[in-house]
C-alpha cells in the first residue's frame, strides 16, 4: 500500500461550461474575462476552461461554506490507520483564528499536518499532503486560502481551501533541494512569495492560480544578506514585498519582466544607537513607510522616498528606500509586528501586546503574567461594539478579539472588551518521547523533555490531569498491568513511581542509573520493574512489604551490553508463572536474567545468545501462540523479521519485513478487539518516520502490511489502546503526538487484492512469473534433480517436484544470492524443522514454491550496493597516496583466512582462481591441468598490491558497477588530477 496518507492534488474551482456560458450571457461578461462568476467572491481562481480537471473537488470547493469540512463522515475510512486526533503543535509557526464567537476555530501546524480545530465543539479536521515537516504557512486576508510549504526531500507548496479542506493547488519541486523557510500571500490572494532555505536563498513570486509549475519571477540573494526567514506583501500593492534576516531588510518590486530588490544600509553608527537584531517587518498603512522590529525594543522606520533627497536624485523603488529614524519603543525585545486597520501592533518577549497609532503613540496594552514570548497574533474578523472608555483612558478601544500564541507552546484567547486572557491549551515545548496507554481505561499518558506529564481521556479527547517535573525531562513511561501505577524514566537517570490517577509519587524517586533511562517496563504480576539506560545498563526494582504496606526498592543493576540497548521485555516462564526478563542490544546479544536467583546488588544472568551475524537487531516482542511452538519476534536493520524459539533461542524462521524507507524501530502485538476474528492477529510497528500494521503470521507477503507517515522528523515511540482500537505515536522533537484509528478490514482487503498463494511472491521476482529470472530458476531447480539422480544414469528417472535440502545453497548461489555459512545453516534448519513441533519428523526436501518463498525471505531486501562494499573498505582499509581507501593484498588474503567465517588457504586459492578465470601454468608445460594447492597459484599480476572497492567488485568478483556509481568514481578521480594553471 502507499506510504503517504494523502497526496495533495490540484483541484481547479470550475463551473460547468453550460452554466458559465449562461452566466456570461446574463452578466455580459467578455469571453476572455479572467474571473469566473461562479467562483466564490473571495476566490482568486479564474475560469480556465482548457485546464479544467478534478471536477469533483472543484464542485466541493465551489459549494463550500465555513465549517463544512467538519460535517464529513469521520467513521468511514479506506485506510488501515486513519489519523483521528493531533495533540500539540509547532509553536515556532503562527496560529490563525479562522472563526470567532460561537464557532471558535483555529488553524495551526502539527508536524506535516495542518490542523483545523473547533475549540468549542472539540473536533478537528486534518489537511494532509506534505511528506516533510511543514516549515512555513500563511493565510489569506479573508481566512479562506491557506498556503503551506515544507523542507526536505521533494519539498512542495500546497494551497488549501479552508472551507472544504481541498488542496486546490500543489506546486511540486518549487525548491526541491532545500525547501522553504518563508511564505506570504498577497492581500488579493492571487500571489505567493516564497524564500528557499538554501545557503544561497532564492526568492520566487508565484501566480498560484495558473497551472504552470514555474514562478512568475525569481532572484537569488547574496548570503551576506543573512538568512532571510520572514516575508510579507504590501497590502496596498501586491507587486511590493519586504523580507528580513536578523541583520538585513530587503525591499522588492516585481512585474512580469522580473524581480528587483534593494538593500538599505543600517548600522549602530547610522543613528548612534544600538539597533539590535531584526525580527519582523511590515508596511505602514500610510503606504509611504515600512517598519521593522528589533531585539533592542526599537522600531526602524523606512521611507520609500527619503524626504531629505532632492527629487532629481531619488532612486526608483525599491532602491530608494532608506532608514529615516530608529524609535525606542521599550526595553524588551520585540518578537512580533503587525498592522491592524489603523493600528501598529507589537508583541514582545514578556508577553505584552501593545497597540500604537500611525505616529507610534501608545494606544493600549494587553498583558498577563502567565504569557510567555509572543509568537503570533491572529485577529477575529468579527467587529464588536466599541465599549465606552474610562475617563482619561484609551484602554478599551479595540473591537476585535484575538488569538495569542507563545513560543513556549501556549495559546490564549483574548477578549478585548474585558482584557480577559483565556488559556486555550498548554502543550509540550520540548521533545515528546514518552507515551503509554492504560491497560484497562481509555487513558493515555504523555511525557516530554520539558518535564510536562499529561494524561488524556482519548475517546472524548479530554485533558484530565498533569504534573510538571522541573528537575529533568521525561524519557519513557509505563503503566503496570493492574493500572494502578505509572512509572517514569527521566533524562537524568532518575525513576519515579506514580499513582496512575493523581500522578503523585508513591515513594521516593530512585537515582540508580548513570545516564538517561531509555526503556521501562513492569512484569506481568507487577512485582518487578525493569529499566534500561544509555550507559548500556539494565536495572531491576522489586515490590516488597514494609510495615504491612507495599513499597518499592532497588534490587540490582548490571551493565549487560556494550552497545545501546534496544529493548527490555518481560514474559512468563513456560513451566511456571514466574516473571521472565530479556534485554536486546545493538551488540546483537540477547540477555536473559534469573530474577528469582538475583539478590540485592547482584543481577543474575542465565543466558547470553548472539542473535545475528551481520545485521543489528532493533526490537523484539513475544509472538502470538499460532502453533504448538512458542516464539519471540525480532526485526533488524536489514528489513528482516526473525522468529526464535523461546526456549532454545534457535532462529526458526527468517522473513522479509515491511520495506518503507527505513527498518522497523519498535514493534508490538495489537490487542484483539471483541469483534475481531480470534484466529487473526496483527502487529503494530513504527519505522523512522512511519506507523504501520502487519498481518500475522508474517510470511514475507508485502500486501499484508501498510504504513503511513506519522512524524517526518522521527517517531520516538508508540502505544496501543487496551482494546486495540487506537494507536498513539510520539513525535520526538516535533513536540506532538497523534491518535490513529485502527481499521483492520481495510488491511484485510488490501491483502486479499494482492493475491493468494504465491502470486504476491512471484511479483517480487525480477520479471514476475513470466520473466526470464523465473525460467532460469526452474531450469536450475530441475537440473539439481537430474544431478541428484546422476547425469549419465541409464535408470528410469524419478519425476519429482522436490530437491534435497543440501542442494539449497547451490541453487541460491546459481541465481545470484551468496549466503554465508551461518545463513545456509539457518535456511536448512528452517525447512528441516518446519514440521518437527507438530509431527516430530524432519523435512529432507523442498519444492519449488517453498524454495521461492525461502529465497525471497532470505535474500538481501535491498540488494548489495556498491556503497555497502565501500563502507567495508572504509573500516578495513587505509588511505593510499591517491586518497583512495585500499586494502593491502597481503592483508586482504589474511582477513579472508583469519576473520569471520575463515577460509583455508586451499579454499581461498580455488575461489580466487575460479573468479579470476586463471589456469595456473605448470612448470615445463603449456597448460597445467592440475591447479596448485594453496595461494601460491596467485601471482602479483592476478591481484594488485592495493585493492580498492572498485577493483574488488569489477576485477575480482567480476560484477558490473552501476553507471551512477561509475560516474561518481570518475568525478572523484578527476578531482584529484592537477590540471595546472589556466593558460
Amino acid at each position: 500500500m502507499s506510504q503517504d496518507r494523502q497526496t495533495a492534488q490540484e483541484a481547479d474551482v470550475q463551473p460547468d461550461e453550460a452554466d458559465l456560458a449562461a452566466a456570461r450571457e446574463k452578466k455580459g461578461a467578455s469571453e476572455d474575462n479572467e474571473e469566473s462568476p461562479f467562483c466564490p467572491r473571495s476566490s482568486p481562481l479564474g475560469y480556465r476552461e482548457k485546464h479544467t480537471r478534478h471536477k469533483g473537488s472543484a464542485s466541493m470547493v465551489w459549494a463550500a461554506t465555513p465549517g463544512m469540512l467538519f460535517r464529513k463522515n469521520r467513521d468511514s475510512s479506506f485506510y488501515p490507520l486513519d489519523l483521528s486526533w493531533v495533540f500539540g503543535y509547532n509553536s515556532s509557526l503562527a496560529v490563525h483564528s479562522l472563526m470567532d464567537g460561537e464557532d471558535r476555530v483555529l488553524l495551526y501546524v502539527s508536524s506535516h499536518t495542518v490542523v483545523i480545530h473547533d475549540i468549542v465543539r472539540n473536533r478537528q479536521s486534518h489537511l494532509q499532503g506534505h511528506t516533510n515537516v511543514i516549515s512555513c504557512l500563511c493565510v489569506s486576508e479573508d481566512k479562506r486560502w491557506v498556503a503551506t510549504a515544507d523542507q526536505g526531500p521533494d519539498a512542495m507548496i500546497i494551497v488549501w481551501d479552508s472551507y472544504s479542506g481541498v488542496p486546490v493547488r500543489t506546486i511540486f519541486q518549487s525548491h526541491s533541494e532545500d525547501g522553504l523557510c518563508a511564505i506570504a500571500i498577497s492581500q488579493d490572494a492571487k500571489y505567493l512569495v516564497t524564500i528557499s532555505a538554501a545557503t544561497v536563498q532564492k526568492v520566487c513570486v508565484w501566480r498560484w492560480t495558473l497551472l504552470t509549475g514555474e514562478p512568475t519571477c525569481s532572484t537569488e540573494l547574496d548570503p551576506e544578506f543573512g538568512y532571510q526567514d520572514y516575508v510579507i506583501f504590501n497590502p496596498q500593492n501586491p507587486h511590493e514585498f519586504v523580507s528580513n534576516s536578523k541583520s538585513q531588510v530587503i525591499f522588492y518590486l516585481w512585474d512580469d519582466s522580473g524581480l528587483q530588490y534593494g538593500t538599505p544600509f543600517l548600522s549602530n553608527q547610522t543613528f548612534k544607537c544600538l539597533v539590535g537584531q531584526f525580527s519582523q517587518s511590515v508596511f505602514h498603512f500610510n503606504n509611504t513607510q515600512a517598519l521593522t522590529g528589533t531585539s533592542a525594543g526599537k522600531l526602524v522606520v523606512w521611507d520609500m522616498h527619503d524626504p531629505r533627497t532632492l527629487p532629481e536624485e531619488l532612486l526608483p523603488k525599491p532602491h530608494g528606500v532608506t532608514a529615516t529614524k530608529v524609535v525606542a519603543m521599550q526595553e524588551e525585545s520585540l518578537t512580533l509586528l503587525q498592522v491592524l486597520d489603523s493600528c501598529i501592533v507589537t508583541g514582545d518577549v514578556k508577553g505584552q501586546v501593545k497597540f500604537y497609532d500611525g505616529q507610534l503613540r501608545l494606544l493600549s496594552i494587553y498583558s498577563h503574567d502567565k504569557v510567555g514570548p509572543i509568537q503570533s497574533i491572529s485577529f477575529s474578523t468579527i467587529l464588536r461594539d466599541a465599549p465606552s472608555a474610562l475617563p482619561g483612558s484609551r484602554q478599551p478601544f479595540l473591537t476585535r478579539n484575538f488569538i495569542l500564541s507563545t513560543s513556549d507552546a501556549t495559546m490564549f484567547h483574548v477578549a478585548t472588551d474585558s482584557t480577559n486572557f483565556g488559556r486555550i491549551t498548554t502543550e509540550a515545548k520540548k521533545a515528546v518521547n514518552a507515551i503509554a496507554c492504560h491497560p484497562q481505561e481509555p487513558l493515555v499518558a504523555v511525557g516530554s523533555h520539558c518535564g510536562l506529564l499529561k494524561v488524556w481521556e482519548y475517546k472524548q479527547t479530554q485533558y484530565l490531569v498533569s504534573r510538571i517535573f522541573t528537575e529533568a525531562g521525561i524519557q519513557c513511561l509505563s503503566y503496570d498491568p493492574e493500572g494502578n501505577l505509572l512509572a517514569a524514566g527521566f533524562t537524568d537517570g532518575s525513576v519515579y513511581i506514580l499513582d496512575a490517577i493523581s500522578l503523585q509519587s508513591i515513594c521516593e524517586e530512585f537515582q540508580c542509573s548513570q545516564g538517561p533511562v531509555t526503556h521501562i517496563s513492569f512484569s506481568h504480576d507487577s512485582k518487578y520493574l525493569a529499566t534500561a539506560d544509555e550507559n548500556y545498563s539494565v536495572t531491576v526494582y522489586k515490590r516488597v512489604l514494609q510495615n504491612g504496606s507495599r513499597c518499592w526498592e532497588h534490587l540490582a543493576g548490571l551493565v549487560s551490553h556494550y552497545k545501546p540497548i534496544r529493548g527490555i521485555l518481560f514474559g512468563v516462564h513456560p513451566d511456571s508463572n514466574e516473571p521472565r526478563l530479556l534485554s536486546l542490544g545493538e551488540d546483537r546479544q540477547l540477555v536473559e536474567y534469573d530474577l528469582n536467583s538475583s539478590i540485592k546488588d547482584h543481577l543474575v544472568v542465565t543466558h547470553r545468545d548472539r542473535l545475528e551475524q551481520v545485521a543489528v537487531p532493533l526490537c523484539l516482542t513475544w509472538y502470538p501462540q499460532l502453533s504448538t511452538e512458542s516464539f519471540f519476534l525480532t526485526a533488524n536493520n536489514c528489513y528482516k523479521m526473525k522468529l526464535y524459539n523461546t526456549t532454545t533461542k534457535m532462529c526458526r524462521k527468517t522473513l522479509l519485513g515491511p520495506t518503507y524507507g527505513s527498518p522497523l524501530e519498535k514493534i508490538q502485538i495489537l490487542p484483539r478487539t471483541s469483534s475481531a476474528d480470534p484466529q487473526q492477529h496483527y502487529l503494530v510497528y513504527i519505522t523512522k518516520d512511519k506507523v504501520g500494521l502487519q498481518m500475522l503470521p508474517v510470511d514475507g507477503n508485502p500486501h499484508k502490511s501498510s504504513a503511513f507517515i506519522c512524524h517526518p522528523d522521527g517517531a520516538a515511540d508508540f502505544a496501543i489502546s487496551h482494546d486495540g482500537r487506537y494507536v498513539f505515536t510520539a513525535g520526538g522533537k516535533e513536540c506532538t503526538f497523534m491518535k490513529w484509528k485502527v481499521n483492520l478490514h481495510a488491511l484485510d482487503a488490501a491483502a486479499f487484492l494482492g493475491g493468494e498463494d504465491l502470486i504476491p511472491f512471484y511479483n517480487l521476482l525480477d520479471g514476475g512469473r513470466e520473466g526470464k529470472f523465473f525460467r532460469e530458476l526452474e531450469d536450475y531447480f530441475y537440473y539439481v534433480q537430474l544431478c541428484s539422480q546422476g547425469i549419465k544414469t541409464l535408470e528410469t528417472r524419478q519425476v519429482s517436484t522436490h530437491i534435497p535440502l543440501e542442494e539449497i545453497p547451490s541453487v541460491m548461489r546459481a541465481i545470484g544470492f551468496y549466503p554465508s555459512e551461518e545463513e545456509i545453516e539457518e535456511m536448512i534448519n528452517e525447512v528441516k524443522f518446519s514440521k518437527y513441533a507438530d509431527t516430530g519428523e524432519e523435512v529432507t526436501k523442498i519444492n519449488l514454491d517453498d524454495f521461492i518463498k525461502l529465497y525471497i525471505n532470505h535474500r538481501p531486501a535491498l540488494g548489495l550496493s556498491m556503497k555497502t562494499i565501500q563502507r567495508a573498505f572504509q573500516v578495513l582499509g587505509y588511505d593510499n597516496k591517491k586518497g583512495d581507501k585500499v586494502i593491502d593484498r597481503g592483508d586482504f588474503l589474511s582477513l579472508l583466512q583469519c576473520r569471520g567465517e575463515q577460509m583455508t588457504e586451499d579454499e581461498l586459492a580455488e575461489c580466487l582462481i575460479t573468479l579470476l578465470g586463471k589456469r595456473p601454468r605448470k612448470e615445463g608445460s603449456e597448460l597445467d591441468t592440475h591447479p596448485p594447492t594453496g595461494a601460491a597459484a596467485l601471482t602479483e599480476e592476478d591481484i594488485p598490491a592495493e585493492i580498492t572497492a572498485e577493483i574488488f567488485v569489477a576485477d575480482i568478483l567480476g560484477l558490473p558497477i552501476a553507471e551512477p556509481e561509475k560516474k561518481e568514481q570518475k568525478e572523484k578521480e578527476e578531482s584529484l588530477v592537477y590540471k595546472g594553471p589556466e593558460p
Side-chain angles (χ1 to χ4, degrees):
M1 291 193 62
S2 170
Q3 298 177 21
D4 300 343
R5 279 297 286 117
Q6 170 187 347
T7 302
Q9 301 291 332
E10 299 171 9
D12 297 329
V13 185
Q14 302 299 340
D16 291 338
E17 186 176 356
D19 293 341
L20 179 66
R24 280 180 172 167
E25 182 178 355
K26 180 178 179 180
K27 292 184 176 289
S30 61
E31 190 66 271
D32 59 351
N33 186 6
E34 181 185 353
E35 298 298 330
S36 165
F38 280 85
C39 287
R41 290 182 180 180
S42 61
S43 172
L45 296 169
Y47 178 64
R48 301 177 299 280
E49 179 180 348
K50 64 180 180 179
H51 294 303
T52 301
R53 51 186 173 181
H54 304 294
K55 293 184 178 179
S57 297
S59 61
M60 286 179 60
V61 174
W62 172 245
T65 57
M68 186 188 82
L69 76 171
F70 290 113
R71 295 194 288 270
K72 295 179 181 178
N73 183 10
R74 300 288 298 173
D75 295 330
S76 60
S77 173
F78 299 106
Y79 304 103
L81 290 170
D82 186 60
L83 183 59
S84 176
W85 199 271
V86 178
F87 301 81
Y89 70 102
N90 186 345
S91 60
S92 66
L93 298 181
V95 175
H96 292 272
S97 173
L98 297 185
M99 301 172 66
D100 199 8
E102 295 181 358
D103 300 302
R104 189 177 301 169
V105 179
L106 305 184
L107 180 144
Y108 51 85
V109 167
S110 293
S111 185
H112 64 307
T113 303
V114 179
V115 180
I116 298 180
H117 190 173
D118 186 339
I119 301 295
V120 176
R121 294 175 178 83
N122 197 32
R123 54 188 181 178
Q124 286 185 351
S125 185
H126 308 115
L127 310 184
Q128 296 172 270
H130 290 277
T131 58
N132 305 303
V133 171
I134 296 173
S135 56
C136 51
L137 83 158
C138 59
V139 177
S140 63
E141 182 70 17
D142 61 2
K143 309 295 181 77
R144 174 153 195 184
W145 310 106
V146 180
T148 56
D150 61 56
Q151 292 180 11
D154 303 317
M156 65 176 71
I157 303 168
I158 304 178
V159 181
W160 312 83
D161 173 26
S162 69
Y163 291 0
S164 62
V166 171
V168 296
R169 184 76 169 93
T170 303
I171 302 174
F172 298 97
Q173 299 178 346
S174 56
H175 302 272
S176 56
E177 293 183 1
D178 302 283
L180 301 176
C181 67
I183 189 169
I185 190 168
S186 61
Q187 182 86 356
D188 58 8
K190 290 184 178 181
Y191 308 103
L192 292 174
V193 58
T194 61
I195 302 179
S196 73
T199 302
V200 178
Q201 293 183 284
K202 187 176 182 180
V203 181
C204 298
V205 177
W206 309 80
R207 179 154 192 171
W208 63 270
T209 57
L210 300 180
L211 293 180
T212 176
E214 298 297 324
T216 303
C217 57
S218 64
T219 189
E220 289 187 346
L221 302 178
D222 194 313
E224 71 177 10
F225 299 149
Y227 188 74
Q228 301 284 317
D229 56 3
Y230 184 80
V231 65
I232 189 170
F233 273 100
N234 185 345
Q236 302 180 57
N237 183 0
H239 290 268
E240 294 182 16
F241 58 93
V242 61
S243 73
N244 67 260
S245 64
K246 288 180 171 56
S247 59
Q248 179 67 62
V249 178
I250 305 178
F251 291 87
Y252 305 81
L253 182 66
W254 71 275
D255 55 27
D256 292 337
S257 63
L259 174 61
Q260 305 176 57
Y261 64 86
T263 56
F265 175 78
L266 176 64
S267 70
N268 293 335
Q269 286 71 38
T270 304
F271 296 101
K272 307 299 182 183
C273 67
L274 176 65
V275 177
Q277 295 182 334
F278 300 139
S279 55
Q280 292 185 358
S281 302
V282 294
F283 286 92
H284 199 291
F285 49 80
N286 62 18
N287 203 28
T288 62
Q289 293 177 320
L291 306 171
T292 299
T294 79
S295 61
K298 296 179 172 64
L299 281 183
V300 180
V301 180
W302 310 92
D303 266 312
M304 299 305 168
H305 300 292
D306 189 349
R308 297 168 296 181
T309 305
L310 297 175
E312 60 271 15
E313 297 179 358
L314 285 175
L315 297 175
K317 287 186 179 181
H319 306 288
V321 180
T322 56
T324 55
K325 57 182 174 180
V326 174
V327 182
M329 310 299 292
Q330 58 187 53
E331 293 182 359
E332 297 82 10
S333 297
L334 296 178
T335 59
L336 177 136
L337 184 61
Q338 284 186 210
V339 171
L340 173 68
D341 301 329
S342 298
C343 296
I344 309 297
V345 186
T346 67
D348 61 37
V349 293
K350 283 196 172 182
Q352 301 177 104
V353 179
K354 298 181 181 180
F355 295 83
Y356 300 88
D357 64 11
Q359 303 300 316
L360 300 183
R361 292 174 296 194
L362 182 64
L363 298 176
S364 183
I365 301 177
Y366 292 84
S367 63
H368 193 283
D369 57 359
K370 299 296 184 181
V371 180
I374 305 291
Q375 183 64 39
S376 71
I377 297 176
S378 180
F379 291 93
S380 169
T381 57
I382 300 175
L383 288 172
R384 300 185 177 275
D385 295 334
S388 57
L390 295 174
S393 172
R394 297 177 178 178
Q395 173 78 15
F397 80 101
L398 192 63
T399 59
R400 296 179 191 267
N401 296 340
F402 58 91
I403 297 294
L404 192 68
S405 71
T406 67
S407 58
D408 56 5
T410 305
M411 299 183 199
F412 295 89
H413 178 268
V414 182
T416 55
D417 56 353
S418 62
T419 67
N420 178 44
F421 281 69
R423 189 190 303 269
I424 298 174
T425 184
T426 298
E427 301 295 344
K429 54 188 176 184
K430 291 185 180 179
V432 175
N433 285 352
I435 191 165
C437 285
H438 195 280
Q440 299 170 11
E441 302 294 333
L443 305 177
V444 59
V446 182
S448 78
H449 277 190
C450 65
L452 176 64
L453 174 61
K454 296 180 75 171
V455 177
W456 293 78
E457 198 281 341
Y458 53 74
K459 285 190 176 179
Q460 302 299 322
T461 320
Q462 297 291 334
Y463 157 72
L464 296 181
V465 64
S466 66
R467 179 179 174 182
I468 296 179
F469 298 85
T470 58
E471 295 81 8
I474 304 171
Q475 184 69 27
C476 52
L477 292 169
S478 178
Y479 281 99
D480 78 312
E482 298 173 356
N484 297 323
L485 304 175
L486 176 64
F490 286 76
T491 53
D492 65 350
S494 60
V495 173
Y496 284 71
I497 301 178
L498 313 172
D499 180 83
I501 302 301
S502 66
L503 302 185
Q504 296 304 306
S505 302
I506 66 167
C507 61
E508 291 293 324
E509 72 272 14
F510 296 97
Q511 188 71 54
C512 303
S513 298
Q514 300 303 312
V517 178
T518 57
H519 299 80
I520 192 166
S521 181
F522 283 94
S523 63
H524 74 287
D525 56 5
S526 299
K527 290 183 179 179
Y528 294 94
L529 172 68
T531 66
D533 60 48
E534 288 189 1
N535 288 344
Y536 320 142
S537 298
V538 171
T539 307
V540 178
Y541 304 87
K542 187 176 182 179
R543 191 181 67 189
V544 295
L545 282 175
Q546 285 186 357
N547 301 325
S549 62
R550 291 179 176 180
C551 62
W552 289 83
E553 69 174 15
H554 171 255
L555 178 61
L558 181 68
V559 180
S560 309
H561 299 266
Y562 62 88
K563 285 189 177 181
I565 297 173
R566 297 296 305 197
I568 55 175
L569 185 66
F570 271 109
V572 182
H573 277 288
D575 53 353
S576 68
N577 196 40
E578 292 299 318
R580 185 181 185 186
L581 177 61
L582 307 173
S583 67
L584 179 67
E586 290 184 11
D587 53 7
R588 305 179 179 88
Q589 297 290 318
L590 179 74
V591 181
E592 183 167 1
Y593 307 87
D594 186 347
L595 297 178
N596 279 337
S597 302
S598 298
I599 59 176
K600 183 68 174 177
D601 297 328
H602 181 64
L603 187 59
V604 178
V605 173
T606 58
H607 296 95
R608 286 183 181 270
D609 298 278
R610 181 175 60 82
L611 297 188
E612 299 279 1
Q613 183 181 30
V614 176
V616 177
L618 300 178
C619 49
L620 82 163
T621 190
W622 299 111
Y623 199 66
Q625 195 75 35
L626 303 180
S627 64
T628 56
E629 195 172 0
S630 298
F631 303 105
F632 62 85
L633 177 71
T634 69
N636 64 33
N637 66 336
C638 294
Y639 299 92
K640 300 296 183 181
M641 305 178 81
K642 291 189 174 185
L643 289 174
Y644 293 87
N645 183 282
T646 57
T647 303
T648 65
K649 311 295 191 334
M650 174 187 286
C651 179
R652 293 287 291 104
K653 217 164 204 181
T654 299
L655 302 146
L656 177 65
T659 53
Y660 293 114
S662 60
L664 306 191
E665 297 284 343
K666 297 188 178 184
I667 55 178
Q668 287 185 42
I669 301 300
L670 183 74
R672 289 203 300 262
T673 61
S674 57
S675 59
D677 182 355
Q679 301 301 318
Q680 189 64 61
H681 297 264
Y682 299 84
L683 178 80
V684 183
Y685 61 85
I686 56 172
T687 67
K688 179 182 177 182
D689 59 350
K690 299 176 182 68
V691 59
L693 277 176
Q694 167 76 52
M695 290 180 64
L696 300 181
V698 181
D699 60 3
N701 181 350
H703 300 287
K704 287 187 176 181
S705 69
S706 179
F708 305 91
I709 295 176
C710 57
H711 302 284
D713 272 358
D717 199 1
F718 76 99
I720 308 174
S721 64
H722 67 92
D723 57 4
R725 297 182 184 275
Y726 298 99
V727 175
F728 299 85
T729 58
K733 63 182 181 180
E734 293 176 4
C735 304
T736 64
F737 74 102
M738 298 182 177
K739 181 176 78 169
W740 302 80
K741 187 175 182 180
V742 177
N743 180 12
L744 299 178
H745 297 299
L747 183 59
D748 295 341
F752 175 79
L753 294 173
E756 298 179 340
D757 300 325
L758 277 178
I759 292 176
F761 297 93
Y762 288 142
N763 294 333
L764 295 176
L765 297 175
D766 187 17
R769 176 68 175 79
E770 306 300 325
K772 179 182 177 181
F773 181 86
F774 181 80
R775 292 195 299 271
E776 288 183 352
L777 175 57
E778 281 187 314
D779 291 342
Y780 288 130
F781 201 81
Y782 296 129
Y783 177 73
V784 167
Q785 290 183 354
L786 295 176
C787 292
S788 64
Q789 298 179 33
I791 294 293
K792 298 181 180 179
T793 183
L794 298 179
E795 298 178 2
T796 303
R797 292 284 181 185
Q798 300 294 323
V799 179
S800 172
T801 58
H802 296 75
I803 62 171
L805 293 188
E806 55 267 21
E807 295 295 341
I808 287 177
S810 300
V811 182
M812 290 288 183
R813 290 168 181 145
I815 59 178
F817 170 39
Y818 304 97
S820 66
E821 294 299 320
E822 184 170 315
E823 289 172 325
I824 290 171
E825 182 181 357
E826 288 182 351
M827 283 191 289
I828 293 177
N829 287 338
E830 180 177 322
V831 181
K832 180 187 291 186
F833 298 109
S834 58
K835 299 179 181 179
Y836 190 83
D838 297 323
T839 65
E841 298 179 354
E842 296 181 357
V843 176
T844 59
K845 55 187 178 180
I846 186 172
N847 61 29
L848 180 59
D849 290 351
D850 289 338
F851 182 89
I852 291 174
K853 289 184 179 180
L854 191 70
Y855 166 70
I856 287 173
N857 282 316
H858 279 266
R859 69 177 180 179
L862 304 179
L864 182 63
S865 69
M866 188 67 191
K867 290 183 179 179
T868 303
I869 298 175
Q870 288 170 341
R871 281 197 296 268
F873 272 72
Q874 289 280 343
V875 174
L876 300 173
Y878 61 91
D879 293 321
N880 65 3
K881 294 180 180 179
K882 295 181 180 179
D884 296 325
K885 281 291 183 181
V886 298
I887 299 177
D888 178 78
R889 179 176 55 227
D891 293 340
F892 174 75
L893 299 175
S894 176
L895 286 168
L896 292 174
Q897 295 177 78
C898 303
R899 302 288 293 273
E901 294 181 346
Q902 301 169 8
M903 303 175 70
T904 67
E905 188 177 5
D906 290 343
E907 288 174 337
L908 177 58
E910 183 179 354
C911 287
L912 291 175
I913 289 169
T914 303
L915 287 170
L916 296 171
K918 298 289 184 180
R919 278 190 173 274
R921 305 176 70 87
K922 187 176 181 181
E923 187 177 353
S925 171
E926 181 69 22
L927 187 65
D928 184 4
T929 58
H930 302 284
T933 58
L938 304 171
T939 67
E940 294 183 2
E941 296 178 357
D942 298 324
I943 300 178
E946 293 182 338
I947 304 170
T948 64
E950 290 71 28
I951 291 174
F952 176 69
V953 172
D955 299 341
I956 297 178
L957 297 182
L959 298 176
I961 300 177
E963 287 300 323
E965 291 172 335
K966 282 184 178 179
K967 183 178 179 181
E968 288 179 8
Q969 178 64 17
K970 184 178 179 181
E971 290 175 350
K972 180 182 177 183
E973 291 174 354
E974 290 179 349
S975 68
L976 297 175
V977 176
Y978 176 68
K979 298 180 179 180
E982 292 293 332

